[in-house]
Amino acid sequence: MADKHLSSQFDADLNAVSSRIMELGGLIESQIAAAIQALEQFNTEISDQVIEREVLVNQMEVEIDRELTTVIAKRQPTARDLRLLIAISKTTTNLERVGDEAVKIARMVKSIIDMGMPKTLPSSELHIAADLAAKLIRQALDALARLDVDAAIAIMHEDDQIDNEFDGFVRKLVTYMMEDPRTISASLDLLFIAKALERIGDHAKNIAEFIIYIVKGADVRHTSREKIDSAIH
């Protein structure tokens, strides 16, 4: 993830932190996959596993932040090295929040199981957004490992697909609720799941923005696509 430095110890510190962020990323990917599996199978046991592992995700976030604080205090990095460590810290926060969204999905699945899912509701249509969300997180972690700006730009474009899926799904749910008020409770749970998937895409996009910040030194948050292209090129 980082270039070689004159200080071999600094390289070792960066590699250690980088390894930890990828370890957290792997755990988050497994959380998303399990949450999606719970949704597809309406499986309470898998939902419980996702919820139970949240403690480990939170613990890893705290440990990585502690390691980053130590590296900054000891090495006093500047320029790109400092940007890298700041971006890793922000990425850690975003990954932990992705974990939160996976837990939300698991909780909503349990709620749907408890109340019973009306067969008419389009729950299967969430699978497209779920697959997109999982894919974007994988791509974001891969792009971060390689500091690949082109891949980061692609992620930002692909996030629009999840947003479109979310908007379309919400319109369908509103129609179902208007036609049959008995579906309102289950529809709201599905809406929360759809929103969680949309937020996972947003966090992947955030990580992509951090990659551009590391490599180009440009903060492209809340920036139009035209300005992002200008900052990169």
Side-chain angles (χ1 to χ4, degrees):
M1 186 185 290
D3 297 327
K4 289 290 183 181
H5 299 83
L6 293 177
S7 169
S8 59
Q9 185 56 53
F10 193 19
D11 280 334
D13 291 341
L14 288 176
N15 288 335
V17 173
S18 298
S19 295
R20 289 288 282 164
I21 195 75
M22 291 304 158
E23 182 182 352
L24 175 60
L27 176 58
I28 294 301
E29 283 191 59
S30 69
Q31 285 286 82
I32 296 171
I36 292 171
Q37 184 181 5
L39 173 62
E40 291 174 341
Q41 301 177 4
F42 287 108
N43 188 306
T44 302
E45 291 183 6
I46 298 176
S47 295
D48 286 337
Q49 291 170 9
V50 173
I51 295 168
E52 290 167 4
R53 283 199 297 260
E54 184 184 21
V55 174
L56 180 56
V57 172
N58 294 340
Q59 179 183 339
M60 289 188 68
E61 181 197 19
V62 171
E63 291 173 354
I64 292 171
D65 279 345
R66 187 183 301 124
E67 291 173 20
L68 285 169
T69 301
T70 300
V71 172
I72 291 173
K74 287 169 57 179
R75 308 301 170 193
Q76 299 182 354
T78 59
R80 177 164 162 164
D81 294 333
L82 181 58
R83 294 201 303 270
L84 174 62
L85 293 175
I86 291 173
I88 288 176
S89 177
K90 291 179 179 293
T91 296
T92 302
T93 299
N94 274 265
L95 288 174
E96 188 276 332
R97 288 176 181 169
V98 171
D100 289 343
E101 300 301 335
V103 170
K104 286 179 187 177
I105 293 171
R107 293 188 189 282
M108 289 304 100
V109 168
K110 292 188 68 174
S111 175
I112 290 170
I113 292 171
D114 289 342
M115 74 175 64
M117 167 64 75
K119 293 181 179 179
T120 56
L121 289 178
S123 60
S124 61
E125 295 186 22
L126 283 172
H127 297 169
I128 296 174
D131 290 342
L132 282 171
K135 174 186 172 186
L136 282 185
I137 288 296
R138 285 195 302 270
Q139 290 177 334
L141 290 169
D142 184 57
L144 179 64
R146 295 181 289 108
L147 294 179
D148 188 333
V149 171
D150 290 335
I153 292 294
I155 290 165
M156 296 170 73
H157 285 288
E158 287 189 57
D159 178 54
D160 292 340
Q161 297 180 38
I162 295 183
D163 294 340
N164 292 336
E165 288 290 332
F166 174 74
D167 292 341
F169 188 74
V170 170
R171 286 193 294 270
K172 287 186 178 181
L173 280 182
V174 170
T175 300
Y176 279 99
M177 287 187 284
M178 291 176 64
E179 292 178 350
D180 186 357
R182 293 172 299 179
T183 67
I184 289 176
S185 293
S187 293
L188 290 176
D189 284 340
L190 286 178
L191 178 60
F192 283 127
I193 291 174
K195 186 60 181 177
L197 293 170
E198 190 259 348
R199 288 295 298 143
I200 290 173
D202 288 342
H203 289 303
K205 179 182 176 183
N206 291 345
I207 295 171
E209 291 173 346
F210 301 149
I211 294 167
I212 295 171
Y213 173 66
I214 295 169
V215 178
K216 299 294 184 179
D219 188 343
V220 297
R221 293 174 297 174
H222 317 300
T223 304
S224 68
R225 289 286 163 73
E226 292 77 14
K227 290 184 179 179
I228 291 174
D229 290 339
S230 176
I232 291 172
H233 300 299

